[in-house]
Amino acid sequence: MATEQNGKKLSLKEVMMQQLAAKKQAQAQGKGSLKGSTATKGMKSQQTKKPNNQRRRMGV
């Protein structure tokens, strides 16, 4: 699973650290100093959920 870069094998930890750094840098360039990520799903109100009417259908 180790990748080669400049003739040196990298451990999985090092590769993951590089990817995380690249991701953070891309987010910083894209959004500036805004906190939080808009890439995540927005929260949905639970008030809009349909009630579970299974008991009514079963006649209980």
Side-chain angles (χ1 to χ4, degrees):
M1 273 219 219
T3 60
E4 297 242 359
Q5 186 179 20
N6 298 334
K8 176 187 166 195
K9 284 194 174 185
L10 298 176
S11 69
L12 183 60
K13 181 181 177 183
E14 291 169 337
V15 173
M16 293 303 287
M17 292 295 283
Q18 287 178 358
Q19 288 180 350
L20 182 62
K23 182 178 177 184
K24 284 185 178 182
Q25 186 180 13
Q27 283 180 350
Q29 289 175 352
K31 296 294 175 190
S33 62
L34 292 177
K35 288 192 175 185
S37 175
T38 57
T40 59
K41 263 187 170 178
M43 290 187 68
K44 196 176 201 181
S45 172
Q46 293 188 359
Q47 299 290 339
T48 62
K49 278 184 165 180
K50 289 185 178 179
N52 186 359
N53 59 2
Q54 182 177 5
R55 296 174 101 185
R56 190 166 53 109
R57 287 190 316 238
M58 296 296 287
V60 176

